[in-house]
Structure formats: structure tokens, C-alpha cells
Amino acid sequence: QVQLKESGGGSVEVGGSLVLSCATSGFAIGDFYLGWFHQVPGKQRTAVASVYGGGPEFTRYADSVRGRFTISLDTARNTLVLDMTGLKADDTGMYYCGAARIPPWEGSRSLNPQNYDYWGQGTQVTVSS
């Protein structure tokens, strides 16, 4: 049974940091892109960052988070991690991790939530000034 479970959300002040984790099970992460997505009420889910499980060099970031967030994969624990620094009020929202069976050379597709096969239930991040 495929499972993705996010943790690590919370409330921080502008400029603060958080580390989100996504524990995965039930599938071979080496065959998937794993991604983090952001969603606020009434808006579509948007990409934050993605990484290919079989080759961490295949990594992509949304322009809005590049240089502030770092995505990584702990293959020993099958856990996806998002290290968030320099948080802004606009970063507030639900953060979801997902898994997409996409070849590594099609990384641009990994930033489209419609290409994802599996999702976690999300974790809330609130950034206040």
C-alpha cells in the first residue's frame, strides 16, 4: 500500500525556518520523482521543488523558493525532506508531498501536480510577521 505522510509543519515568524519531512512506503522511490507542493485555500496546488529518487542530481525548484528552500532525499529512510529558510508570509499554506512516475529526463513535468500519482495529506505552514 502506497503511503506518504508529511510532518514538520508549524507556525513561524517571517525570516524563520522549518524542516518538512515526508515518510514514504509501499513503492520504489528510485522510479519516481518526489515533489513538494504548496496550496492556499481557493487556489491550485503549485510546485515548490522536486527531486528524482533514482538520481538526486535531477532537482528542480520554483523560482519563488530557489535559494531559500532545499529539497533532499534520505534514501536510507525513504524520506523526502524540505529545508525551508528565509520564510515569507506568502509561504503560508498547506504543503503536500507527492510521487510521480516520470523519467528523470522529463523533469519539467515534475513541477505539474497533474502528473502525480500519489499524495500525502499535507502539513500546514503558517508564517506571520
Side-chain angles (χ1 to χ4, degrees):
Q1 181 181 1
V2 173
Q3 289 188 329
L4 298 95
K5 183 172 177 59
E6 303 90 340
S7 61
S11 297
V12 296
E13 293 184 348
V14 170
S17 301
L18 279 175
V19 178
L20 305 184
S21 296
C22 174
T24 73
S25 62
F27 65 101
I29 62 172
D31 295 332
F32 286 77
Y33 264 96
L34 299 171
W36 286 101
F37 289 77
H38 174 239
Q39 189 170 24
V40 297
K43 294 193 175 181
Q44 292 185 340
R45 199 167 291 188
T46 59
V48 174
S50 67
V51 61
Y52 185 64
E57 65 270 26
F58 295 98
T59 301
R60 288 180 178 258
Y61 292 93
D63 290 341
S64 60
V65 306
R66 187 174 290 110
R68 299 190 297 124
F69 293 5
T70 303
I71 191 171
S72 61
L73 191 58
D74 183 342
T75 54
R77 296 190 299 142
N78 287 339
T79 298
L80 181 69
V81 178
L82 184 68
D83 190 345
M84 311 166 71
T85 64
L87 282 161
K88 304 176 181 180
D90 286 347
D91 295 322
T92 294
M94 286 292 288
Y95 284 77
Y96 297 90
C97 67
R101 190 184 290 275
I102 298 172
W105 53 87
E106 295 186 14
S108 59
R109 295 178 58 206
S110 71
L111 298 181
N112 184 342
Q114 294 184 341
N115 293 324
Y116 277 67
D117 302 288
Y118 307 112
W119 291 100
Q121 293 187 331
T123 186
Q124 175 69 35
V125 171
T126 303
V127 185
S128 59
S129 56

